[in-house]
Amino acid sequence: DAGITQSPRYKITETGRQVTLMCHQTWSHSYMFWYRQDLGHGLRLIYYSAAADITDKGEVPDGYVVSRSKTENFPLTLESATRSQTSVYFCASSEGQNNQPQHFGDGTRLSIL
Amino acid sequence: QKEVEQNSGPLSVPEGAIASLNCTYSDRGSQSFFWYRQYSGKSPELIMSIYSNGDKEDGRFTAQLNKASQYVSLLIRDSQPSDSATYLCAVNGNTGNQFYFGTGTSLTVIP
């Protein structure tokens, strides 16, 4: 039972570069989410998706792009990375009902130099 | 005002004691409440969910919900050093499946 996997686990890149973080889940959950976690801010929602081809902004979407062509994949792209995007990124998924918990991947630690 | 507020701690308790973690939320329409545990360098792990007023027990963990006071808490009985972690409170929003997370309470259980 692989659950939800993120790749890469660690990434170092430079400002201005494009970088894509991958998220794959095997539960067939309809909802998927991207969060960033920074000291003092906790988990902040970047984007979420209710189903394939349906995405919506969260609390901190600027500088990020998502897509969801298949139910199981939800990649997050930083089109032109900035130092302020250095963070730990978590992908999560949940079943469709509003009261279902979210389950998290192991995270990607991203450093932008 | 933040959607979900937690005391950041750190909270220290001796081994075997009861640890009490508290959370308040601002959206009266919230219906689902969750506690996650996060070890340092790891991802959040669901430990409890609660949907109705009152207490819900699962092993050494008890979640308590009071919607009138907009308050949810987590009690950990017989605390163990392995319980040392940051505990995140999560509350669902009114729209879609969005959750709002508190910034977490750091718990240290002293052997």
Side-chain angles (χ1 to χ4, degrees), chain A residues 31 33 35 37 40-43 45 48 57-58 90 94-106 109, chain B residues 2 31-32 34 36 38 41-46 49 51 88 92-104:
Chain A
Y31 277 82
F33 308 83
Y35 292 90
Q37 188 173 38
H41 289 281
L43 283 162
L45 182 65
Y48 68 101
K57 295 178 180 179
F90 289 105
S94 71
E95 296 182 66
Q97 295 78 15
N98 198 30
N99 61 352
Q100 294 304 304
Q102 296 180 14
H103 301 278
F104 286 80
D106 289 337
R109 186 174 295 274
Chain B
K2 291 185 178 178
Q31 297 294 320
S32 308
F34 306 91
Y36 287 82
Q38 187 174 24
K42 301 295 186 182
S43 62
E45 170 194 13
L46 178 72
S49 57
Y51 306 101
L88 305 175
N92 82 304
N94 247 338
T95 58
N97 272 41
Q98 287 197 51
F99 282 12
Y100 295 100
F101 284 85
T103 53

Side-chain angles (χ1 to χ4, degrees), chain A residues 5-6 10 12 18 33 38 47 63-64 72-73 90 98 101 104 107 109 111 113:
Chain A
T5 55
Q6 293 184 236
Y10 304 91
I12 301 174
Q18 181 180 85
F33 308 83
D38 306 287
Y47 270 96
Y64 303 95
E72 61 267 30
N73 296 325
F90 289 105
N98 198 30
F104 286 80
R109 186 174 295 274
S111 296
L113 306 178

